[in-house]
Amino acid sequence: MSMGTGYTQQALGEEEMRRILAQAFGELSLDGERVLVIIPDSTRTAPLPLLFRELYALLGQRVQRLDYLIALGTHPPMSEEAIAQLVGVDAKERQERYPNVEIYNHHWDKAGVLKTVGVISREEAQVLTNGILSEEVPVRLNGMIFDYDQIVICGPVFPHEVVGFSGGAKYLFPGIAGADIINFTHWLGARLTSMLTIGTKDTLVRRVIHRAAAFVDRPILCLALVMQGETLHGLYAGNYIDAYNDAADLSARLNVITVERPFKQVLSLPSTRYDDLWTAAKAMYKTEPAIADGGEVIIYAPHISEISYTHGALIGEVGYHVQEYFLKQWERFKQVPGSILAHSTHVKGTGTYDSATGIERPRIQVTLATAIPEERCRKVNLGYRDYREINPEDWAGREDEGLLLVRHAGEMLYHAPSIRK
C-alpha cells in the first residue's frame, strides 16, 4: 500500500497534501543527494506550480540538485515560455530563487540522449503480451536519470487509451523512453483496442511497462495525483505500482461516467491544452465507448490546424484506418512505426476491413470540425465539418435526443456498458 489519501466529494487540501509529501520524503535519506523529478508536459492537468514550490520547500535546502525532466514521450520539446507556465516560475526567477534547479525536455529521437537499460526478449515479450506480439524490445531511457541518486515520478492518473490508466511507470515508458519501447507498447495497446482498454487498471501494456521499469537501477518514488477537472482530489506516494494502483482506483470513481444508453452523435470539444490532433484525439478516445454503432463523434476544435507537429508526415502517408486494414495488409505496413499505426486505429476506432473487396467499415464515423482543411481530412480518411457552421450551444441539453455535448474533453471517460462488452 502507498501512503496518501483521496476524496470523491471534496478536494484534497493543501495542508493535507503537504503532510503526505513530508511523510514520503521524510523517510528518504536525501541530504546532499541529486534528485530528478519526472513531470508531465502541458497536455495533462496537474497543479505543477504548487508542487514545484512545495517540493523545493521540502528538499531545496537538503539536496545538491532538484532537477526536472519533462516526460514528453514523442511530443515536441517545450519552449522556455511554456516551461515557465508549466511550473509557474520563469527562468530568471528560477535562477535567483531556485539556484540548484534545472528543467529539461526529454528528446525521444536523439540517440545520444538515450541509454539501453535492458532488453525484453522475444520469448518474454510473447509471455507478457499473451502471444499477441513476439519481438525483441530494446528498453532505452533518457540517460540523464543515471546522473541522479533518487528519481521521483510526479503526475496525474487518468483513463488512457493505450495503457488503461495513465500515471506511475508510464512516465518512464513512453514518458522518457526511446522509440522501440514506445512503438511496442502503443501497437500492443492498439491490438487490444482503445475501447476495451481505456479505463481498465490492469492491462497487458501495464505489465510490459512494469517489466521495463524493473531494469532501472535507481530508487524511484512515485507521487500519483488524482484530478477531477482542475481540482486535486487525491495524492498517493510510494513505489510506482502501489501508488498507481491506489490513484487509479480513485480516478475510476472520479473520471469515468457511465451513461444509460449510447448516443447517436457526440460533439466533443477538446481542451485548448491540446494543440494538434495527435493529442486532441483524446476527445474521441474518451467518448467512443458511449457512441452507438453507426454513430458519429465530431471533434470540434477551431484552434487546431495540424494533425501532428511531430508525426504529421507519416500519418499523412498512412491515413486513419481500422485495425484490420493494417493486419490484413501487413506486408505493406509492417515497417510503419507501431505508435503511428496505434494512433491511426485509435482515432478511427473499431471496425472491419474486407481485403477481397477493399471495403472498410468503421463502427462509428469520426469527423473533424477544426482548422485542418477539408482536403487534408478526406485524404487521411476522416470526415470534415466546417466548424463555423456549428454552434456548440445548440447541442446542450439534448441527451434525450441521442446527442451529447462534451466540454473540455480529453480526461473524462464516457462509456455505455452495452457498447464496451
Side-chain angles (χ1 to χ4, degrees), residues 162-204:
V162 173
V163 68
F165 278 89
S166 63
K170 186 180 177 298
Y171 283 95
L172 302 176
F173 309 99
I176 61 166
D180 298 288
I181 189 73
I182 292 175
N183 289 327
F184 183 87
T185 52
H186 279 69
W187 183 229
L188 173 61
R191 290 291 304 273
L192 298 167
T193 76
S194 169
M195 194 164 69
L196 296 180
T197 297
I198 196 166
T200 302
K201 185 170 76 168
D202 298 311
T203 65
L204 297 182

mmCIF file of all heavy atoms in Angstrom, residues 162-204:
data_model
loop_
_atom_site.group_PDB
_atom_site.id
_atom_site.type_symbol
_atom_site.label_atom_id
_atom_site.label_comp_id
_atom_site.label_asym_id
_atom_site.label_seq_id
_atom_site.Cartn_x
_atom_site.Cartn_y
_atom_site.Cartn_z
ATOM 1 N N VAL A 162 -4.119 3.752 -24.330
ATOM 2 C CA VAL A 162 -3.121 2.734 -24.626
ATOM 3 C C VAL A 162 -2.912 1.783 -23.452
ATOM 4 O O VAL A 162 -2.828 0.566 -23.619
ATOM 5 C CB VAL A 162 -1.774 3.375 -25.017
ATOM 6 C CG1 VAL A 162 -0.686 2.314 -25.165
ATOM 7 C CG2 VAL A 162 -1.922 4.162 -26.308
ATOM 8 N N VAL A 163 -2.830 2.336 -22.250
ATOM 9 C CA VAL A 163 -2.419 1.547 -21.093
ATOM 10 C C VAL A 163 -3.554 1.331 -20.087
ATOM 11 O O VAL A 163 -3.389 0.606 -19.123
ATOM 12 C CB VAL A 163 -1.184 2.208 -20.434
ATOM 13 C CG1 VAL A 163 -1.546 3.526 -19.798
ATOM 14 C CG2 VAL A 163 -0.500 1.282 -19.449
ATOM 15 N N GLY A 164 -4.714 1.911 -20.313
ATOM 16 C CA GLY A 164 -5.854 1.752 -19.406
ATOM 17 C C GLY A 164 -6.042 2.962 -18.522
ATOM 18 O O GLY A 164 -7.070 3.636 -18.550
ATOM 19 N N PHE A 165 -5.039 3.230 -17.694
ATOM 20 C CA PHE A 165 -4.933 4.472 -16.927
ATOM 21 C C PHE A 165 -3.500 4.972 -17.067
ATOM 22 O O PHE A 165 -2.557 4.182 -17.085
ATOM 23 C CB PHE A 165 -5.237 4.257 -15.437
ATOM 24 C CG PHE A 165 -6.695 4.240 -15.097
ATOM 25 C CD1 PHE A 165 -7.413 3.054 -15.124
ATOM 26 C CD2 PHE A 165 -7.378 5.405 -14.757
ATOM 27 C CE1 PHE A 165 -8.761 3.021 -14.814
ATOM 28 C CE2 PHE A 165 -8.720 5.390 -14.451
ATOM 29 C CZ PHE A 165 -9.420 4.200 -14.478
ATOM 30 N N SER A 166 -3.341 6.273 -17.153
ATOM 31 C CA SER A 166 -2.000 6.849 -17.212
ATOM 32 C C SER A 166 -1.381 6.830 -15.819
ATOM 33 O O SER A 166 -1.972 6.366 -14.858
ATOM 34 C CB SER A 166 -2.072 8.279 -17.758
ATOM 35 O OG SER A 166 -2.829 9.101 -16.874
ATOM 36 N N GLY A 167 -0.179 7.381 -15.733
ATOM 37 C CA GLY A 167 0.444 7.522 -14.418
ATOM 38 C C GLY A 167 1.411 6.408 -14.078
ATOM 39 O O GLY A 167 1.585 5.437 -14.810
ATOM 40 N N GLY A 168 2.060 6.565 -12.923
ATOM 41 C CA GLY A 168 3.016 5.560 -12.473
ATOM 42 C C GLY A 168 4.179 5.434 -13.437
ATOM 43 O O GLY A 168 4.713 6.426 -13.948
ATOM 44 N N ALA A 169 4.556 4.192 -13.727
ATOM 45 C CA ALA A 169 5.715 3.940 -14.583
ATOM 46 C C ALA A 169 5.501 4.366 -16.024
ATOM 47 O O ALA A 169 6.446 4.365 -16.818
ATOM 48 C CB ALA A 169 6.079 2.453 -14.534
ATOM 49 N N LYS A 170 4.276 4.753 -16.371
ATOM 50 C CA LYS A 170 4.064 5.288 -17.723
ATOM 51 C C LYS A 170 4.839 6.586 -17.927
ATOM 52 O O LYS A 170 5.132 6.958 -19.069
ATOM 53 C CB LYS A 170 2.572 5.517 -17.992
ATOM 54 C CG LYS A 170 2.269 5.935 -19.419
ATOM 55 C CD LYS A 170 0.798 6.140 -19.651
ATOM 56 C CE LYS A 170 0.546 6.620 -21.073
ATOM 57 N NZ LYS A 170 1.176 7.931 -21.350
ATOM 58 N N TYR A 171 5.194 7.269 -16.854
ATOM 59 C CA TYR A 171 6.007 8.466 -17.004
ATOM 60 C C TYR A 171 7.450 8.123 -17.388
ATOM 61 O O TYR A 171 8.206 9.004 -17.807
ATOM 62 C CB TYR A 171 5.961 9.317 -15.741
ATOM 63 C CG TYR A 171 4.662 10.094 -15.650
ATOM 64 C CD1 TYR A 171 3.578 9.613 -14.927
ATOM 65 C CD2 TYR A 171 4.503 11.276 -16.354
ATOM 66 C CE1 TYR A 171 2.379 10.297 -14.879
ATOM 67 C CE2 TYR A 171 3.317 11.975 -16.315
ATOM 68 C CZ TYR A 171 2.248 11.481 -15.579
ATOM 69 O OH TYR A 171 1.056 12.163 -15.559
ATOM 70 N N LEU A 172 7.802 6.847 -17.267
ATOM 71 C CA LEU A 172 9.075 6.365 -17.805
ATOM 72 C C LEU A 172 8.900 5.890 -19.234
ATOM 73 O O LEU A 172 9.700 6.198 -20.119
ATOM 74 C CB LEU A 172 9.622 5.216 -16.948
ATOM 75 C CG LEU A 172 9.868 5.488 -15.467
ATOM 76 C CD1 LEU A 172 10.313 4.202 -14.771
ATOM 77 C CD2 LEU A 172 10.897 6.581 -15.278
ATOM 78 N N PHE A 173 7.847 5.091 -19.450
ATOM 79 C CA PHE A 173 7.579 4.485 -20.758
ATOM 80 C C PHE A 173 6.135 4.785 -21.158
ATOM 81 O O PHE A 173 5.218 4.201 -20.567
ATOM 82 C CB PHE A 173 7.783 2.966 -20.692
ATOM 83 C CG PHE A 173 9.093 2.551 -20.112
ATOM 84 C CD1 PHE A 173 9.194 2.167 -18.796
ATOM 85 C CD2 PHE A 173 10.243 2.546 -20.894
ATOM 86 C CE1 PHE A 173 10.406 1.770 -18.254
ATOM 87 C CE2 PHE A 173 11.468 2.157 -20.360
ATOM 88 C CZ PHE A 173 11.549 1.772 -19.032
ATOM 89 N N PRO A 174 5.899 5.695 -22.057
ATOM 90 C CA PRO A 174 6.833 6.312 -23.005
ATOM 91 C C PRO A 174 7.455 7.630 -22.553
ATOM 92 O O PRO A 174 8.237 8.211 -23.302
ATOM 93 C CB PRO A 174 5.926 6.584 -24.210
ATOM 94 C CG PRO A 174 4.614 6.938 -23.591
ATOM 95 C CD PRO A 174 4.495 6.020 -22.383
ATOM 96 N N GLY A 175 7.110 8.126 -21.362
ATOM 97 C CA GLY A 175 7.471 9.479 -20.961
ATOM 98 C C GLY A 175 8.884 9.917 -21.267
ATOM 99 O O GLY A 175 9.098 10.973 -21.873
ATOM 100 N N ILE A 176 9.884 9.106 -20.859
ATOM 101 C CA ILE A 176 11.278 9.494 -21.097
ATOM 102 C C ILE A 176 12.017 8.371 -21.832
ATOM 103 O O ILE A 176 13.210 8.170 -21.645
ATOM 104 C CB ILE A 176 11.996 9.863 -19.786
ATOM 105 C CG1 ILE A 176 12.030 8.676 -18.812
ATOM 106 C CG2 ILE A 176 11.342 11.064 -19.133
ATOM 107 C CD1 ILE A 176 13.004 8.873 -17.653
ATOM 108 N N ALA A 177 11.300 7.667 -22.682
ATOM 109 C CA ALA A 177 11.847 6.477 -23.336
ATOM 110 C C ALA A 177 12.246 6.736 -24.777
ATOM 111 O O ALA A 177 12.003 7.812 -25.338
ATOM 112 C CB ALA A 177 10.821 5.350 -23.277
ATOM 113 N N GLY A 178 12.858 5.709 -25.377
ATOM 114 C CA GLY A 178 13.203 5.720 -26.787
ATOM 115 C C GLY A 178 12.126 5.069 -27.631
ATOM 116 O O GLY A 178 11.139 4.520 -27.119
ATOM 117 N N ALA A 179 12.324 5.081 -28.939
ATOM 118 C CA ALA A 179 11.274 4.695 -29.882
ATOM 119 C C ALA A 179 10.859 3.227 -29.781
ATOM 120 O O ALA A 179 9.686 2.899 -29.955
ATOM 121 C CB ALA A 179 11.734 5.002 -31.309
ATOM 122 N N ASP A 180 11.798 2.320 -29.505
ATOM 123 C CA ASP A 180 11.468 0.886 -29.561
ATOM 124 C C ASP A 180 10.355 0.508 -28.585
ATOM 125 O O ASP A 180 9.355 -0.106 -28.971
ATOM 126 C CB ASP A 180 12.720 0.046 -29.270
ATOM 127 C CG ASP A 180 13.809 0.261 -30.298
ATOM 128 O OD1 ASP A 180 13.647 -0.208 -31.432
ATOM 129 O OD2 ASP A 180 14.810 0.915 -29.966
ATOM 130 N N ILE A 181 10.525 0.864 -27.329
ATOM 131 C CA ILE A 181 9.525 0.500 -26.329
ATOM 132 C C ILE A 181 8.252 1.316 -26.513
ATOM 133 O O ILE A 181 7.144 0.842 -26.246
ATOM 134 C CB ILE A 181 10.103 0.662 -24.891
ATOM 135 C CG1 ILE A 181 9.149 0.083 -23.842
ATOM 136 C CG2 ILE A 181 10.431 2.111 -24.589
ATOM 137 C CD1 ILE A 181 9.104 -1.414 -23.810
ATOM 138 N N ILE A 182 8.368 2.544 -27.019
ATOM 139 C CA ILE A 182 7.182 3.359 -27.304
ATOM 140 C C ILE A 182 6.342 2.694 -28.389
ATOM 141 O O ILE A 182 5.125 2.522 -28.253
ATOM 142 C CB ILE A 182 7.578 4.785 -27.722
ATOM 143 C CG1 ILE A 182 8.202 5.537 -26.546
ATOM 144 C CG2 ILE A 182 6.369 5.552 -28.250
ATOM 145 C CD1 ILE A 182 8.725 6.927 -26.907
ATOM 146 N N ASN A 183 6.989 2.308 -29.480
ATOM 147 C CA ASN A 183 6.261 1.677 -30.581
ATOM 148 C C ASN A 183 5.656 0.339 -30.168
ATOM 149 O O ASN A 183 4.515 0.022 -30.528
ATOM 150 C CB ASN A 183 7.187 1.486 -31.780
ATOM 151 C CG ASN A 183 7.533 2.793 -32.464
ATOM 152 O OD1 ASN A 183 6.721 3.714 -32.510
ATOM 153 N ND2 ASN A 183 8.737 2.898 -32.987
ATOM 154 N N PHE A 184 6.404 -0.439 -29.404
ATOM 155 C CA PHE A 184 5.927 -1.751 -28.978
ATOM 156 C C PHE A 184 4.681 -1.635 -28.103
ATOM 157 O O PHE A 184 3.669 -2.295 -28.340
ATOM 158 C CB PHE A 184 7.044 -2.476 -28.216
ATOM 159 C CG PHE A 184 6.676 -3.870 -27.790
ATOM 160 C CD1 PHE A 184 6.860 -4.941 -28.639
ATOM 161 C CD2 PHE A 184 6.150 -4.117 -26.522
ATOM 162 C CE1 PHE A 184 6.534 -6.241 -28.250
ATOM 163 C CE2 PHE A 184 5.815 -5.393 -26.126
ATOM 164 C CZ PHE A 184 6.005 -6.461 -26.993
ATOM 165 N N THR A 185 4.741 -0.781 -27.097
ATOM 166 C CA THR A 185 3.609 -0.682 -26.175
ATOM 167 C C THR A 185 2.388 -0.055 -26.842
ATOM 168 O O THR A 185 1.250 -0.467 -26.578
ATOM 169 C CB THR A 185 3.992 0.130 -24.921
ATOM 170 O OG1 THR A 185 4.569 1.387 -25.316
ATOM 171 C CG2 THR A 185 4.987 -0.637 -24.061
ATOM 172 N N HIS A 186 2.600 0.907 -27.722
ATOM 173 C CA HIS A 186 1.448 1.538 -28.371
ATOM 174 C C HIS A 186 0.765 0.589 -29.349
ATOM 175 O O HIS A 186 -0.468 0.541 -29.422
ATOM 176 C CB HIS A 186 1.871 2.840 -29.060
ATOM 177 C CG HIS A 186 1.973 3.993 -28.117
ATOM 178 N ND1 HIS A 186 2.943 4.072 -27.154
ATOM 179 C CD2 HIS A 186 1.200 5.103 -27.969
ATOM 180 C CE1 HIS A 186 2.778 5.191 -26.451
ATOM 181 N NE2 HIS A 186 1.728 5.821 -26.925
ATOM 182 N N TRP A 187 1.547 -0.176 -30.090
ATOM 183 C CA TRP A 187 0.928 -1.128 -31.010
ATOM 184 C C TRP A 187 0.239 -2.264 -30.247
ATOM 185 O O TRP A 187 -0.834 -2.732 -30.635
ATOM 186 C CB TRP A 187 1.957 -1.668 -31.991
ATOM 187 C CG TRP A 187 1.402 -2.601 -33.035
ATOM 188 C CD1 TRP A 187 1.896 -3.816 -33.383
ATOM 189 C CD2 TRP A 187 0.265 -2.385 -33.885
ATOM 190 N NE1 TRP A 187 1.154 -4.377 -34.402
ATOM 191 C CE2 TRP A 187 0.131 -3.514 -34.728
ATOM 192 C CE3 TRP A 187 -0.661 -1.342 -34.024
ATOM 193 C CZ2 TRP A 187 -0.882 -3.642 -35.679
ATOM 194 C CZ3 TRP A 187 -1.676 -1.473 -34.959
ATOM 195 C CH2 TRP A 187 -1.780 -2.594 -35.767
ATOM 196 N N LEU A 188 0.810 -2.657 -29.129
ATOM 197 C CA LEU A 188 0.144 -3.657 -28.285
ATOM 198 C C LEU A 188 -1.196 -3.115 -27.807
ATOM 199 O O LEU A 188 -2.224 -3.816 -27.864
ATOM 200 C CB LEU A 188 1.029 -4.008 -27.094
ATOM 201 C CG LEU A 188 0.398 -4.918 -26.024
ATOM 202 C CD1 LEU A 188 0.001 -6.268 -26.624
ATOM 203 C CD2 LEU A 188 1.356 -5.109 -24.847
ATOM 204 N N GLY A 189 -1.221 -1.864 -27.339
ATOM 205 C CA GLY A 189 -2.475 -1.273 -26.901
ATOM 206 C C GLY A 189 -3.491 -1.200 -28.017
ATOM 207 O O GLY A 189 -4.689 -1.437 -27.813
ATOM 208 N N ALA A 190 -3.025 -0.887 -29.225
ATOM 209 C CA ALA A 190 -3.937 -0.813 -30.364
ATOM 210 C C ALA A 190 -4.502 -2.183 -30.717
ATOM 211 O O ALA A 190 -5.682 -2.304 -31.078
ATOM 212 C CB ALA A 190 -3.214 -0.217 -31.572
ATOM 213 N N ARG A 191 -3.680 -3.213 -30.601
ATOM 214 C CA ARG A 191 -4.170 -4.563 -30.898
ATOM 215 C C ARG A 191 -5.284 -4.957 -29.935
ATOM 216 O O ARG A 191 -6.215 -5.684 -30.293
ATOM 217 C CB ARG A 191 -3.011 -5.578 -30.813
ATOM 218 C CG ARG A 191 -1.981 -5.447 -31.922
ATOM 219 C CD ARG A 191 -2.554 -5.855 -33.287
ATOM 220 N NE ARG A 191 -3.092 -7.195 -33.257
ATOM 221 C CZ ARG A 191 -2.386 -8.305 -33.467
ATOM 222 N NH1 ARG A 191 -1.074 -8.221 -33.712
ATOM 223 N NH2 ARG A 191 -2.951 -9.494 -33.438
ATOM 224 N N LEU A 192 -5.188 -4.480 -28.707
ATOM 225 C CA LEU A 192 -6.228 -4.772 -27.713
ATOM 226 C C LEU A 192 -7.445 -3.873 -27.906
ATOM 227 O O LEU A 192 -8.516 -4.177 -27.370
ATOM 228 C CB LEU A 192 -5.654 -4.588 -26.311
ATOM 229 C CG LEU A 192 -4.489 -5.525 -25.953
ATOM 230 C CD1 LEU A 192 -3.786 -5.057 -24.699
ATOM 231 C CD2 LEU A 192 -4.974 -6.947 -25.790
ATOM 232 N N THR A 193 -7.296 -2.789 -28.639
ATOM 233 C CA THR A 193 -8.248 -1.719 -28.953
ATOM 234 C C THR A 193 -8.424 -0.766 -27.781
ATOM 235 O O THR A 193 -8.479 -1.167 -26.619
ATOM 236 C CB THR A 193 -9.638 -2.214 -29.404
ATOM 237 O OG1 THR A 193 -10.401 -2.672 -28.300
ATOM 238 C CG2 THR A 193 -9.522 -3.276 -30.486
ATOM 239 N N SER A 194 -8.500 0.503 -28.140
ATOM 240 C CA SER A 194 -8.687 1.541 -27.135
ATOM 241 C C SER A 194 -9.989 1.352 -26.368
ATOM 242 O O SER A 194 -10.036 1.503 -25.145
ATOM 243 C CB SER A 194 -8.674 2.918 -27.802
ATOM 244 O OG SER A 194 -9.092 3.926 -26.908
ATOM 245 N N MET A 195 -11.056 1.013 -27.085
ATOM 246 C CA MET A 195 -12.371 0.974 -26.454
ATOM 247 C C MET A 195 -12.440 -0.066 -25.337
ATOM 248 O O MET A 195 -13.139 0.123 -24.343
ATOM 249 C CB MET A 195 -13.462 0.707 -27.483
ATOM 250 C CG MET A 195 -14.851 0.990 -26.951
ATOM 251 S SD MET A 195 -16.090 1.140 -28.236
ATOM 252 C CE MET A 195 -16.177 -0.528 -28.834
ATOM 253 N N LEU A 196 -11.709 -1.183 -25.498
ATOM 254 C CA LEU A 196 -11.736 -2.218 -24.466
ATOM 255 C C LEU A 196 -10.631 -2.052 -23.437
ATOM 256 O O LEU A 196 -10.604 -2.775 -22.437
ATOM 257 C CB LEU A 196 -11.635 -3.601 -25.117
ATOM 258 C CG LEU A 196 -12.808 -3.995 -26.025
ATOM 259 C CD1 LEU A 196 -12.589 -5.394 -26.605
ATOM 260 C CD2 LEU A 196 -14.137 -3.916 -25.293
ATOM 261 N N THR A 197 -9.722 -1.107 -23.679
ATOM 262 C CA THR A 197 -8.590 -0.883 -22.773
ATOM 263 C C THR A 197 -8.827 0.294 -21.845
ATOM 264 O O THR A 197 -8.549 0.224 -20.644
ATOM 265 C CB THR A 197 -7.304 -0.643 -23.586
ATOM 266 O OG1 THR A 197 -6.999 -1.811 -24.346
ATOM 267 C CG2 THR A 197 -6.137 -0.291 -22.682
ATOM 268 N N ILE A 198 -9.335 1.368 -22.398
ATOM 269 C CA ILE A 198 -9.409 2.623 -21.669
ATOM 270 C C ILE A 198 -10.259 2.479 -20.405
ATOM 271 O O ILE A 198 -11.342 1.901 -20.430
ATOM 272 C CB ILE A 198 -9.950 3.735 -22.596
ATOM 273 C CG1 ILE A 198 -9.691 5.117 -22.017
ATOM 274 C CG2 ILE A 198 -11.405 3.527 -22.960
ATOM 275 C CD1 ILE A 198 -9.883 6.239 -23.020
ATOM 276 N N GLY A 199 -9.719 2.942 -19.289
ATOM 277 C CA GLY A 199 -10.421 2.831 -18.018
ATOM 278 C C GLY A 199 -10.245 1.499 -17.317
ATOM 279 O O GLY A 199 -10.926 1.232 -16.332
ATOM 280 N N THR A 200 -9.305 0.665 -17.807
ATOM 281 C CA THR A 200 -9.006 -0.625 -17.180
ATOM 282 C C THR A 200 -7.675 -0.512 -16.445
ATOM 283 O O THR A 200 -6.665 -0.132 -17.047
ATOM 284 C CB THR A 200 -8.924 -1.746 -18.233
ATOM 285 O OG1 THR A 200 -10.160 -1.807 -18.943
ATOM 286 C CG2 THR A 200 -8.638 -3.094 -17.584
ATOM 287 N N LYS A 201 -7.645 -0.858 -15.178
ATOM 288 C CA LYS A 201 -6.441 -0.619 -14.374
ATOM 289 C C LYS A 201 -5.298 -1.561 -14.727
ATOM 290 O O LYS A 201 -4.147 -1.148 -14.848
ATOM 291 C CB LYS A 201 -6.775 -0.728 -12.883
ATOM 292 C CG LYS A 201 -5.587 -0.365 -11.987
ATOM 293 C CD LYS A 201 -5.989 -0.230 -10.534
ATOM 294 C CE LYS A 201 -6.206 -1.569 -9.877
ATOM 295 N NZ LYS A 201 -6.311 -1.447 -8.402
ATOM 296 N N ASP A 202 -5.587 -2.836 -14.884
ATOM 297 C CA ASP A 202 -4.552 -3.831 -15.157
ATOM 298 C C ASP A 202 -4.664 -4.287 -16.605
ATOM 299 O O ASP A 202 -5.634 -4.935 -16.984
ATOM 300 C CB ASP A 202 -4.702 -5.018 -14.211
ATOM 301 C CG ASP A 202 -4.542 -4.618 -12.755
ATOM 302 O OD1 ASP A 202 -3.561 -3.917 -12.450
ATOM 303 O OD2 ASP A 202 -5.401 -4.990 -11.933
ATOM 304 N N THR A 203 -3.661 -3.950 -17.404
ATOM 305 C CA THR A 203 -3.658 -4.287 -18.818
ATOM 306 C C THR A 203 -2.335 -4.937 -19.204
ATOM 307 O O THR A 203 -1.348 -4.869 -18.455
ATOM 308 C CB THR A 203 -3.852 -3.026 -19.682
ATOM 309 O OG1 THR A 203 -2.719 -2.165 -19.496
ATOM 310 C CG2 THR A 203 -5.141 -2.289 -19.312
ATOM 311 N N LEU A 204 -2.299 -5.540 -20.385
ATOM 312 C CA LEU A 204 -1.051 -6.136 -20.862
ATOM 313 C C LEU A 204 0.011 -5.063 -21.070
ATOM 314 O O LEU A 204 1.198 -5.308 -20.816
ATOM 315 C CB LEU A 204 -1.297 -6.893 -22.172
ATOM 316 C CG LEU A 204 -2.249 -8.096 -22.110
ATOM 317 C CD1 LEU A 204 -2.336 -8.772 -23.476
ATOM 318 C CD2 LEU A 204 -1.802 -9.100 -21.056
#
